[in-house]
Amino acid sequence: MQFQSNLTASAGAAKLLLVSFAFVASLANAADVHPLVTSKYWTSVGAFFATSDFNANAQGGAGGEDERVDFETSMGLDDRPDLLDLEFGWQFGRKWGLSLQYFVADRERTRTLEKAIEWEGVTYDFGAVIKATTDFEVTRLFFSRQVWKNERHDLRLGAGIHYLRLAAEISGEATLDDESKEFRASEASASFPVPDIGAWYRFSPSDRWLLDARVDWFSANVGDYSGRLWNLAVGANFRLHKNVGIGLSYQLFELNGSVRDTNWNGDVRTRFAGPEINLTGFW
């Protein structure tokens, strides 16, 4: 009886030890990956040090074909603006999540033209002093579904919407009827949604490091817009604290299309590309 009692106690102790080991191992595994892999919410605030290229034309009331204006070269706008980039993510189901991104680029410059340009059916001659502004705003909403995941890897596919707001204005002394001159302010603006499909991959080699890559793509005709859109990001994040990390990535946004809107009837080609540094929170 004593032997059986000892055996039962030993078996119970062994079972408790195994359960304890499994529990500790599960904690170790959970702690062995970056929190962004397992967090329900995350957010980041980043500075996007992009090189930019904004080329566009906008036909005026006559409907003529204006030459495309390079706003960095012809207008002297800063081709290396610092952009604010905000992101928020939510894992709202076992396999489902969404992310919301917003960035904006507003620029302005006054200069003397080195060659004549036409914008919105208005001609600005060589030597005219003009002011040029561009406003570019992107709001990205993306729904993703997990298609493969293990301890360190997370691959998702999904679809979303880029809501774009474009505006470009040139103001100054314009030439009218080939003779008279008059101050004019000619603005073209448009806002429209662009659907897209994409993929998102994360890999965590340790509890401190996360590597990730994301791509969104669209090429079709939607309402007043037709053309192609790319949005790419590749980077790494280092966990500084339990709920805080710092990230470094390379970002690319490229839009090449035509707009047929009452406030903008023309083409636009724009590209923002460069490094981004951000502060990330996760919980």
Side-chain angles (χ1 to χ4, degrees):
M1 293 292 292
Q2 181 67 33
F3 174 74
Q4 186 176 1
S5 176
N6 290 340
L7 185 60
T8 302
S10 298
K15 185 177 180 180
L16 180 61
L17 184 62
L18 287 173
V19 171
S20 300
F21 177 78
F23 177 70
V24 172
S26 67
L27 289 180
N29 287 336
D32 197 33
V33 296
H34 193 286
L36 275 174
V37 177
T38 57
S39 296
K40 186 174 182 179
Y41 303 102
W42 60 268
T43 185
S44 74
V45 179
F48 183 15
F49 304 101
T51 58
S52 67
D53 187 19
F54 192 97
N55 288 262
N57 65 12
Q59 286 89 52
E65 287 293 327
D66 295 353
E67 180 183 352
R68 184 177 287 111
V69 177
D70 185 328
F71 278 76
E72 284 79 20
T73 302
S74 300
M75 303 292 103
L77 291 182
D78 184 8
D79 63 356
R80 299 191 66 87
D82 299 338
L83 314 180
L84 174 67
D85 187 5
L86 305 175
E87 293 194 46
F88 171 77
W90 175 29
Q91 179 72 19
F92 61 86
R94 189 172 68 87
K95 290 183 175 291
W96 291 93
L98 68 82
S99 62
L100 180 66
Q101 179 187 20
Y102 171 82
F103 77 84
V104 60
D106 297 335
R107 296 176 294 166
E108 180 180 307
R109 177 74 185 271
T110 299
R111 75 170 305 176
T112 301
L113 287 180
E114 298 178 357
K115 69 172 185 177
I117 62 167
E118 187 174 354
W119 179 256
E120 277 278 274
V122 178
T123 299
Y124 300 88
D125 281 333
F126 165 79
V129 178
I130 55 93
K131 183 174 78 171
T133 63
T134 61
D135 298 325
F136 188 77
E137 205 172 284
V138 178
T139 302
R140 170 185 172 271
L141 179 65
F142 189 77
F143 288 89
S144 62
R145 189 181 191 280
Q146 191 180 93
V147 296
W148 176 62
K149 188 179 190 311
N150 63 19
E151 286 181 4
R152 302 185 182 280
H153 303 268
D154 187 2
L155 175 63
R156 297 167 180 265
L157 301 178
I161 291 176
H162 280 72
Y163 188 80
L164 309 176
R165 186 180 71 83
L166 313 173
E169 179 178 335
I170 297 175
S171 60
E173 190 177 70
T175 301
L176 308 175
D177 303 324
D178 296 326
E179 293 181 1
S180 61
K181 295 184 182 296
E182 182 180 309
F183 180 87
R184 286 292 182 93
S186 306
E187 180 185 22
S189 62
S191 298
F192 49 91
V194 178
D196 60 83
I197 58 174
W200 189 4
Y201 171 70
R202 283 174 167 173
F203 167 60
S204 177
S206 73
D207 64 334
R208 291 281 186 178
W209 286 99
L210 179 86
L211 307 176
D212 68 342
R214 186 191 75 220
V215 57
D216 299 280
W217 172 82
F218 167 83
S219 181
N221 298 336
V222 175
D224 297 326
Y225 170 79
S226 63
R228 185 184 71 248
L229 176 149
W230 284 99
N231 194 351
L232 309 162
V234 179
N237 190 282
F238 179 75
R239 181 173 64 86
L240 297 171
H241 189 261
K242 179 181 177 181
N243 300 107
V244 179
I246 186 169
L248 180 65
S249 64
Y250 177 84
Q251 305 270 348
L252 166 69
F253 181 91
E254 187 173 275
L255 175 69
N256 186 353
S258 298
V259 184
R260 297 294 177 256
D261 186 81
T262 55
N263 296 318
W264 188 318
N265 181 24
D267 301 328
V268 59
R269 294 180 183 176
T270 186
R271 186 177 190 271
F272 294 89
E276 176 183 312
I277 185 168
N278 63 68
L279 194 63
T280 310
F282 27 77
W283 60 98

